[in-house]
Amino acid sequence: MMEPKLANLSETNTLNTQHGERILLRLTYISRYNTDNANIEVARILEQARRNNERNGISGVLVMNEDYFLQSIEGTRPVINELLAKLIKDNRHFSFQIVDCREVEQQRWDKWSMKYLTPSDENKEYMQKFSASHEFNPYLMSTSQIMTFIETLAKLQEQRASEEK
């Protein structure tokens, strides 16, 4: 009786591996905020995203202002692909563009189910350094500028948090 259970476990593990569930992806995209949905609270969206992402093993970082979203999310290939399909259909934003999608060895954003970073006055020098404009507009940034910008904001926020302790 024990052998069939072992066989089933083995089959399940093989199926999971065949579906890419052990392969981690980092997907980075940009989009425009849909002002037709202005009554939707961003805080509520973020909290819902945190809960969903935590449940699905997704980590990520979101940089946004009143016009643009810039997000980098990480998780297993099937989970990221499923989330991507939902993001494309989501009417809270438009002009969706994938900036980068790659396999990664480990999650960079593993401390966060979702971290919200703001391009603030404190960060203005970094916006100017990595962007073609003095305003936050990810459509004017190259992939390397976007990735460096996100990394820099994340490090600044981590540094500020550790200084506050």
Side-chain angles (χ1 to χ4, degrees), residues 46-69:
L46 282 169
E47 188 52 42
Q48 182 182 12
R50 280 187 187 111
R51 281 195 309 272
N52 291 341
N53 290 352
E54 200 170 296
R55 182 179 62 244
N56 293 316
I58 296 172
S59 59
V61 61
L62 172 67
V63 182
M64 63 175 284
N65 67 5
E66 63 277 355
D67 297 316
Y68 304 103
F69 292 107

Side-chain angles (χ1 to χ4, degrees), residues 2-143:
M2 191 65 114
E3 289 178 4
K5 286 184 181 180
L6 290 176
N8 286 340
L9 284 176
S10 177
E11 287 174 25
T12 301
N13 286 339
T14 301
L15 284 175
N16 286 346
T17 302
Q18 290 173 349
H19 291 123
E21 292 176 0
R22 295 176 191 230
I23 297 170
L24 290 175
L25 290 184
R26 178 179 301 131
L27 172 71
T28 304
Y29 73 88
I30 56 178
S31 63
R32 300 281 317 254
Y33 182 68
N34 186 349
T35 55
D36 291 343
N37 297 319
N39 60 344
I40 297 175
E41 292 179 43
V42 173
R44 189 176 52 120
I45 294 169
L46 282 169
E47 188 52 42
Q48 182 182 12
R50 280 187 187 111
R51 281 195 309 272
N52 291 341
N53 290 352
E54 200 170 296
R55 182 179 62 244
N56 293 316
I58 296 172
S59 59
V61 61
L62 172 67
V63 182
M64 63 175 284
N65 67 5
E66 63 277 355
D67 297 316
Y68 304 103
F69 292 107
L70 164 56
Q71 186 169 29
S72 184
I73 52 177
E74 302 165 324
T76 61
R77 184 190 290 158
V79 171
I80 294 298
N81 280 311
E82 186 177 314
L83 181 57
L84 176 59
K86 290 177 184 174
L87 287 168
I88 290 170
K89 294 177 186 175
D90 191 335
N91 68 356
R92 294 175 289 192
H93 63 152
F94 63 97
S95 295
F96 185 92
Q97 293 182 15
I98 295 174
V99 173
D100 189 52
C101 185
R102 67 181 61 203
E103 291 179 10
V104 294
E105 295 296 317
Q106 62 185 35
Q107 290 175 286
R108 163 61 178 99
W109 318 118
D110 60 342
K111 297 176 188 148
W112 310 322
S113 58
M114 179 56 64
K115 187 68 171 180
Y116 170 50
L117 304 175
T118 55
S120 65
D121 287 338
E122 293 175 333
N123 303 329
K124 196 164 253 179
E125 70 177 276
Y126 298 103
M127 272 187 283
Q128 291 172 346
K129 182 177 179 181
F130 300 116
S131 181
S133 164
H134 66 281
E135 296 294 320
F136 173 65
N137 181 345
Y139 290 92
L140 301 177
M141 299 167 76
S142 70
T143 300

